[in-house]
Amino acid sequence: MAKKKNSFSGSLGFVLAAAGSAVGVGNIWRFPYLCAKDGGGLFLLVYLVLVVTFGFVLLTTDVAIGRRTKENALRAFGTLHPKWKFVGYLTFLVPMLIMTYYSVIGGWITKYFFEYLTTSGRDVAEDGYFTSFITEKNAPLIFTGIFLALTIWVVYRGVEKGIEKFSCFIMPGLILLVIGIAIFSLTLSYTDADGTVRTGIQGFLVYVRPDFTGLTVKGFLEVLLDAMSQLFFSLSVSMGIMVTYGSYVKDEIDLNKATNQIEFFDTGVALLSGMMIIPAVFVFLGRDGMASGPSLTFISLPKVFQAMGGAGHIVGLAFFLMLGFAALTSCVSVMETLVANCMEVFGKTRKQMCVMVGSYSLLTAVLICLGYNVLYFELKLPNGSTGQLLDVMDYISNSFLMPIISFLTSILIGWVVGPKWIVEEVEKNGEHFSRAGMYSFLIRYIVPAVMLVLFLVSTGFINML
Ligand code: PFF
């Protein structure tokens, strides 16, 4: 077994880097809009149950596979069992696909940050601003290029000097910003033209109170599926990333404690993001504004900042700075996974592979940007939604590949290699793995069954929804 030269200096470095990967656009943009759409507290409740069951199992599995094999996903699965090498290849495809569009979203965030930095932010709040920006030919390319250059720079500096150092600097700042804006959100209030007063506290209650009115079995399943796919994306599991980061973790580190901390960070930031966004949108745009879905961040929030008056400019700037930090540490983890795998496979240096992966990322990001103008098309996806290039990549990676990879991994660990293989790794530093029994049960029976259903539903084989 090849010994890795790269490693995180200690537990904190690993936890912050992994949390940096997990905490991203998914927490700050996707979680709140799903929550608003799926009945507030009901979604929260379902999500929290999934975090401590599925999230815990999938994250522990990925990190333990990485640390035990000391290899990247591409090779690790072959080391686990030669016949299961193909899962490694499948896993490698996910960051390859995600890389194509994540930097484009990073570019949009960079653009908004610059707008708030250099202007009053009034233009971004105008109707049609976002659409006209992403359909422009040059500007999205330039901002995506800036974001990508930053990502390549961090990855080029390496695991300890780049990723770890950068995460240790960024993550505490990010947490402070989310807490600050969340508290500010609670203090807001607004009086409508018809005299109705809406307060941040009312918005907070809308966020946390489970709404069971008119709930049907079908409706509940929809919430469950949304929460499940959010969990994958949010924790960066089943895509080789946590296997790669796990391979940089030293043997003496308490894996159980570290994975709990990563989950705590990731879920904490998601909850705080909901607390920051939902009350603010409720106060200024009412209940209807909360139903704006994916357009919440780039279309509704600038309107909220505008409605706040003077403070809105600063809050908008802080918000897009924080979102940019979160997107950057996540994008770094996607690129690091690609670079590390390629270094292992081609036996080349980090610098050479940064050039190669950087060129791939740039080229594919250009294609995704062009997907909004020159290459625009609309495709009906098997899960019923329609989308263009970015949505197609997102669909293949998140709705198609991730459930199938989780399914295959749970069969491999649960039934072929045996959960003991993971439990031994978690206990390597001498600490008792208290949830070993629950882990074994879930990975053998529950995870494969649920992943299979998730896969069949999201690919349209079961037309349940
Ligand atoms: N976990 C990140 C988020 O919540 O935004 C997203 C992500 C990062 C997805 C890295 C995939 C990935 F490879």
Side-chain angles (χ1 to χ4, degrees), residues 161-178:
K161 285 208 204 103
I163 300 166
E164 179 177 334
K165 212 165 155 194
F166 182 71
S167 306
C168 289
F169 164 70
I170 293 273
M171 293 309 285
L174 188 146
I175 305 283
L176 285 180
L177 279 174
V178 195

Side-chain angles (χ1 to χ4, degrees), residues 20-21 23-26 28-29 102-114 116 143 146-148 150-151 154 166 169-171 173-174 177-178 181 269 276 297-298 315-333:
S21 169
V23 173
V25 178
I28 299 167
W29 158 70
Y102 210 82
S103 60
V104 176
I105 301 178
W108 299 345
I109 299 167
T110 313
K111 161 75 178 170
Y112 273 57
F113 171 71
F114 272 106
Y116 278 98
F143 286 97
I146 296 174
F147 185 82
L148 205 50
L150 276 172
T151 310
V154 177
F166 182 71
F169 164 70
I170 293 273
M171 293 309 285
L174 188 146
L177 279 174
V178 195
I181 306 180
V269 173
M276 145 178 107
T297 299
F298 294 104
V315 179
L317 185 67
F319 176 80
F320 283 103
L321 175 69
M322 177 195 60
L323 191 57
F325 280 170
L328 193 57
T329 46
S330 294
C331 200
V332 160
S333 74

Side-chain angles (χ1 to χ4, degrees), residues 204-314:
F204 176 72
L205 292 177
V206 171
Y207 171 47
V208 292
R209 242 189 229 149
D211 182 3
F212 295 109
T213 40
L215 186 67
T216 57
V217 174
K218 192 178 157 198
F220 181 73
L221 277 175
E222 212 175 291
V223 174
L224 192 67
L225 285 179
D226 278 349
M228 190 71 96
S229 66
Q230 170 63 13
L231 184 72
F232 275 116
F233 189 73
S234 188
L235 278 177
S236 309
V237 286
S238 296
M239 49 181 104
I241 291 174
M242 290 300 174
V243 177
T244 297
Y245 275 19
S247 75
Y248 301 149
V249 177
K250 290 176 181 155
D251 287 346
E252 59 271 20
I253 282 168
D254 185 344
L255 270 199
N256 187 30
K257 194 166 147 202
T259 49
N260 284 342
Q261 288 169 341
I262 298 165
E263 277 203 287
F264 180 77
F265 249 113
D266 189 56
T267 312
V269 173
L271 295 179
L272 282 167
S273 301
M275 200 169 131
M276 145 178 107
I277 291 174
I278 296 182
V281 174
F282 173 80
V283 167
F284 292 107
L285 306 179
R287 274 184 186 264
D288 294 347
M290 289 171 52
S292 54
S295 61
L296 194 66
T297 299
F298 294 104
I299 298 175
S300 308
L301 275 183
K303 291 190 192 304
V304 169
F305 299 142
Q306 179 70 20
M308 282 177 188
H313 181 209
I314 303 294

